[in-house]
Amino acid sequence: MSTIRRTLAGWMLFIAICAASPVSAQVRIVHGPTPILGGDARAAGDLTVVNDRLAFALAVESSPPYGVPRGALVDLAPVVAGTIGHDKVVFADFIPNAWSAWPNRQQRVTVLTDTAQQAVVETVRDWGAVTITTRYTLNAGEDRIAIRTTMANGGATALKGLRSGMTLWPSAGYLFGVPGLGGAEDGPADAALSKRVVAYDADWAIALHAPYLDHIGYDSKDMFQTHDLAPGESRSFDAWLQVLPSGDLAPVVARDIAMRQVASGAVSGMVTSAQGTPVAHPVVVIASKRQPYAWTIGDGAGRYRIALPVGDYTAYATAKAWSQSLPQPFAVTSNATATRDFGGLAPPGTLRFRATRQGSDTPLDARIAIDQGQQPLVQFLGRRVFFTDLDHKGQAAITLAPGDYTFSVSWGKDVLARTAHVSAHVAAGADSTIAVPIDVLFDPPAHGWYAADLHHHADQAEAVTPAPDLARSQLAAGLDLMFVSDHDSVVNHPLLQAIAMRRGVPFLPGIEISTSWAHFNAYPITPGKQLGIDTSRTTVQAVFADARRMGAEVVEINHPFIPYGYFTSVAAGVAPGGFDPAFDLVEINASVPTDDDKVLKSLWDDWTAGRAHYLAAGTDVHDVWNSLSGKVRTYAHVGGPVTALGYARALKAGQGYVTSGPLIDPDTMFGDTLSVRPGAPFALGFGLHAVDGLARVSLIHQGSVVKTMAFPASDQSARAVFSLTADRAGWYALIVEDTKGRRAYTDPVWITMTGH
């Protein structure tokens, strides 16, 4: 039977089973493209395992994201009333040492059990001398996948200090990190109240239970154990992926209790409004040891119940955009149910914002953040950050819980204008308006300088920002070009192009080519072009060639010194193709500011050697509600009307700088060459600006600071002129710092010697 016929036969069998028993608890394996909506396992050899509670797919022939080896779980969705839902993950996989099982040479996927009661699928990979075997088990009627991974060291070398374990990278919704760790991004998990992480929204939840946990990474997406692996030693890791059709965490806590076999009881009660009527579908948030622990969603009549391990807790009740009740303490004892009722909740009000340029009625796109006031822990109940509308510039209508608030309202935050701070009272059921004038201080485009955030994601892979919200966030940041660089995807280009045209700004279409050993931004991409390489089986030369094939004028090395950055991989000898200088820009990345000096040192060495690699900067934002677009940005000098290609070519020519605050206007353009006679005096002058005041400027010559100038803290604008004497060919660049420690770094001014 041909591959196509086998695939069609699998689909026909799957459809027949679903039609015959739409709510059957039986397990079935579908061979071929996954029936999970929006799933990425689309090849004929891929596998999807389904019961009446959940469905998951393994990429057997499809290429997983980020160059992860085949065999990874790339799709996961709830099943409700016999209907398979939408994919909620980028991938969930076992990683052997804080990154993917790469480099490797082979992957094998085998179906071990395929009955109506149980499906077992095994993946086997090599990781150096280590064999990694993972078994996925799904039983009929269960809401969880049992995952056991065994690492077997077949080599002669002991592996020390590994961090290994399961990872859960959602593609939608929100993340509730390991309880007890206070929202830590990375570090030991000794204080964990429960060894699980939950991705969720109002109508779904996925919990990764990892009993072995002792260390987290990436905001709890990575669930590690720190360990050694001696020659000949094997070590197993057990984990469970629990999939639910609701954002109610009561089943997650119940599963945790059962897994740990700890004594438990429950708390239950009623949630009512200030008028004493039941609040439909309230959310009761539970805290343990002053740390958020879980929540449960009540029914339509305001009743709730949640099982909890024995212990002391506090809880409060709320609902979507409703006020919060006062917290109440309670104790859970074994096999008993405590009662706690919550009352006095008030319904939402509406606050309308109108942001304008101070001294005029000119509307400004704005970012609106709650500084003080109710900020829901459970994020589907309400956001903490908002943006003005695309089609009603400067205006936003926000539904909020009643109470007193203080807001930060910004345009061009920290770079172009002062942030406005306003207070407002929101009354239950009321609608009020607040005018917000914003003091705009600087106008770089008037001098030919245009800014973009050159590393920004929308809603592909693990990013969760729909394209219109990316646009609203970037416009509120005061950026002059709209930019996107989704992982290996150009799907958002047409919509963002349309939005940019509607708003009268240039669109710079990009893509982040994402391998396991490096990430590269390429832009601008020709409309209609798609990535043409398999990122799990490629070289740096193939990456560069495909970027150019897609029309990219610029290839940028993203976060080059992180553990899977290109320069790190080159130094470790694991970048396929080795070092290739055929890139254009190197990134200053806002998410790893500790790497700024490394990036500068690398570029300074290039400039000293006469290599024309220049600066870029981006935020790497995936979620505009929890990160700041344009926090670091790239300015390029473009003569005449700004276009995507013109902007890219200016950066490629070194006519730019990057900044998280200070602005620079040079007398001699960055990237230009200044010819001077040996021993002759010359000067380099710069106009400098900073919203929060200038602190100092340092002149860099051939990689060393040669002059520094300080400013009074009150100076928002100043001239810096450096009188110099030509002694040899080379380059000069600037580092400018404001009073808040925000910095700008420039491309070089080249100096050549002339005998005339």
Side-chain angles (χ1 to χ4, degrees):
M1 186 183 293
S2 70
T3 298
I4 294 175
R5 287 180 179 175
R6 286 198 306 271
T7 301
L8 289 173
W11 267 98
M12 291 173 67
L13 176 61
F14 173 72
I15 292 168
I17 290 172
C18 288
S21 52
V23 294
S24 170
Q26 294 182 347
V27 185
R28 51 204 181 266
I29 298 178
V30 179
H31 296 258
T34 183
I36 296 173
L37 296 175
D40 295 310
R42 298 169 183 156
D46 294 339
L47 300 175
T48 303
V49 185
V50 187
N51 69 5
D52 66 322
R53 310 290 290 278
L54 65 93
F56 72 94
L58 302 179
V60 181
E61 291 181 356
S62 293
S63 177
Y66 319 130
V68 169
R70 284 163 169 78
L73 190 160
V74 296
D75 302 316
L76 184 60
V79 175
V80 180
T83 299
I84 299 174
H86 201 282
D87 179 28
K88 302 300 182 186
V89 303
V90 184
F91 73 115
D93 198 25
F94 182 87
I95 52 181
N97 189 24
W99 190 229
S100 70
W102 179 91
N104 69 7
R105 297 176 301 278
Q106 58 90 15
Q107 311 98 36
R108 184 175 71 253
V109 180
T110 307
V111 176
L112 301 180
T113 304
D114 184 3
T115 71
Q117 295 305 307
Q118 185 181 76
V120 182
V121 182
E122 180 181 85
T123 70
V124 180
R125 302 161 167 170
D126 64 299
W127 178 62
V130 176
T131 299
I132 300 174
T133 303
T134 300
R135 287 191 177 183
Y136 300 90
T137 302
L138 181 63
N139 293 323
E142 290 190 347
D143 66 359
R144 60 199 177 277
I145 310 160
I147 305 170
R148 166 165 282 198
T149 299
T150 301
M151 296 179 68
N153 186 357
T157 302
L159 303 175
K160 300 286 189 180
L162 301 179
R163 283 191 181 138
S164 307
M166 283 296 298
T167 186
L168 171 64
W169 281 69
S171 59
Y174 314 100
L175 195 75
F176 182 43
V178 174
L181 301 188
E185 295 182 4
D186 187 289
D190 299 344
L193 299 172
S194 180
K195 296 184 177 182
R196 40 92 172 166
V197 61
V198 183
Y200 71 95
D201 207 332
D203 56 354
W204 63 273
I206 298 172
L208 170 59
H209 299 272
Y212 58 79
L213 175 71
D214 67 18
H215 196 101
I216 63 162
Y218 281 98
D219 304 313
S220 298
K221 297 184 193 76
D222 296 342
M223 305 282 273
F224 296 138
Q225 182 182 82
T226 306
H227 67 99
D228 300 333
L229 201 63
E233 181 184 3
S234 293
R235 177 182 291 267
S236 293
F237 301 75
D238 287 303
W240 288 262
L241 279 169
Q242 183 181 15
V243 182
L244 303 167
S246 165
D248 189 344
L249 299 195
V252 175
V253 178
R255 174 50 39 194
D256 183 52
I257 291 169
M259 287 170 49
R260 294 194 290 138
Q261 298 182 333
V262 295
S264 65
V267 62
S268 67
M270 187 81 176
V271 180
T272 56
S273 70
Q275 289 72 40
T277 57
V279 175
H281 307 294
V283 173
V284 177
V285 180
I286 313 293
S288 174
K289 299 180 180 178
R290 299 184 179 180
Q291 292 286 327
Y293 179 74
W295 58 79
T296 187
I297 301 175
D299 64 18
R303 296 183 296 265
Y304 77 93
R305 187 181 190 279
I306 183 171
L308 295 166
V310 166
D312 295 323
Y313 299 89
T314 59
Y316 65 85
T318 186
K320 186 175 179 61
W322 283 59
S323 65
Q324 294 176 181
S325 73
L326 292 173
Q328 296 189 44
F330 63 95
V332 171
T333 57
S334 183
N335 297 316
T337 299
T339 300
R340 286 295 181 274
D341 295 329
F342 300 93
L345 273 67
T350 299
L351 188 59
R352 300 181 185 275
F353 286 82
R354 184 172 178 269
T356 58
R357 183 185 294 260
Q358 184 172 288
S360 76
D361 289 328
T362 305
L364 285 177
D365 298 291
R367 179 181 188 268
I368 303 162
I370 299 174
D371 291 336
Q372 295 181 339
Q374 185 168 312
Q375 302 178 48
L377 170 77
V378 184
Q379 293 190 61
F380 60 70
L381 296 179
R383 297 201 180 275
R384 308 170 194 181
V385 170
F386 312 88
F387 300 95
T388 50
D389 295 341
L390 279 175
D391 294 320
H392 301 89
K393 187 174 181 179
Q395 297 180 43
I398 302 173
T399 301
L400 295 166
D404 294 319
Y405 290 85
T406 301
F407 300 92
S408 294
V409 183
S410 61
W411 174 82
K413 182 175 172 59
D414 301 330
V415 179
L416 301 173
R418 299 181 193 273
T419 297
H421 300 277
V422 296
S423 297
H425 178 76
V426 177
D431 190 319
S432 56
T433 300
I434 183 169
V436 185
I438 296 176
D439 186 10
V440 177
L441 300 175
F442 309 119
D443 184 13
H447 303 279
W449 289 99
Y450 298 89
D453 182 339
L454 291 179
H455 192 166
H456 204 297
H457 298 271
D459 58 359
Q460 299 303 294
E462 80 277 19
V464 295
T465 305
D469 294 300
L470 176 148
R472 294 198 298 164
S473 181
Q474 292 191 3
L475 290 167
L479 298 167
D480 304 298
L481 292 92
M482 202 170 289
F483 179 82
V484 69
S485 53
D486 282 326
H487 291 289
D488 300 330
S489 173
V490 296
V491 69
N492 278 306
H493 288 186
L495 178 54
L496 283 169
Q497 177 68 71
I499 293 172
M501 289 180 65
R502 197 164 86 231
R503 290 302 308 268
V505 299
F507 174 53
L508 183 55
I511 187 172
E512 185 173 19
I513 303 173
S514 305
T515 72
S516 275
W517 42 272
H519 289 184
F520 308 87
N521 270 0
Y523 52 86
I525 301 300
T526 301
K529 294 290 186 179
Q530 305 273 342
L531 187 67
I533 56 174
D534 181 343
T535 58
S536 68
R537 300 172 178 174
T538 193
T539 65
V540 65
Q541 289 79 20
V543 167
F544 292 167
D546 206 52
R548 305 300 183 188
R549 179 193 62 79
M550 289 187 286
E553 181 76 17
V554 163
V555 175
E556 171 187 316
I557 307 296
N558 287 351
H559 39 58
F561 290 102
I562 66 172
Y564 54 92
Y566 181 52
F567 292 172
T568 300
S569 295
V570 167
V574 295
F579 179 76
D580 189 320
F583 57 89
D584 304 295
L585 307 178
V586 183
E587 182 191 48
I588 293 288
N589 187 295
S591 65
V592 281
T594 53
D595 284 352
D596 284 10
D597 289 344
K598 296 178 186 177
V599 173
L600 291 175
K601 175 64 165 58
S602 173
L603 283 171
W604 291 350
D605 288 346
D606 275 0
W607 299 344
T608 300
R611 293 187 291 268
H613 295 140
Y614 294 117
L615 279 162
T619 56
D620 204 0
V621 163
H622 290 67
D623 174 352
V624 296
W625 298 280
N626 288 294
S627 299
L628 179 64
S629 300
K631 182 177 180 180
V632 62
R633 59 190 66 194
T634 308
Y635 273 98
H637 192 270
V638 182
V642 62
T643 65
L645 186 58
Y647 180 87
R649 286 176 173 170
L651 291 178
K652 192 170 182 174
Q655 296 174 344
Y657 66 94
V658 304
T659 185
S660 59
L663 298 170
I664 307 169
D665 196 8
D667 295 348
T668 301
M669 182 55 58
F670 305 121
D672 282 359
T673 299
L674 189 63
S675 295
V676 296
R677 295 191 306 275
F682 70 100
L684 293 175
F686 307 89
L688 307 176
H689 313 277
V691 167
D692 288 301
L694 295 159
R696 65 190 59 83
V697 56
S698 298
L699 184 69
I700 314 299
H701 179 49
Q702 300 295 100
S704 298
V705 176
V706 292
K707 293 194 176 186
T708 299
M709 186 181 300
F711 302 97
S714 59
D715 282 2
Q716 292 177 311
S717 296
R719 280 276 299 166
V721 179
F722 296 98
S723 298
L724 304 164
T725 301
D727 57 354
R728 56 191 166 115
W731 58 269
Y732 287 90
L734 288 190
I735 297 177
V736 185
E737 188 171 337
D738 71 11
T739 59
K740 301 294 185 181
R742 306 185 194 99
R743 288 185 168 191
Y745 309 118
T746 76
D747 284 331
V749 173
W750 301 98
I751 303 296
T752 62
M753 297 289 105
T754 179
H756 303 287

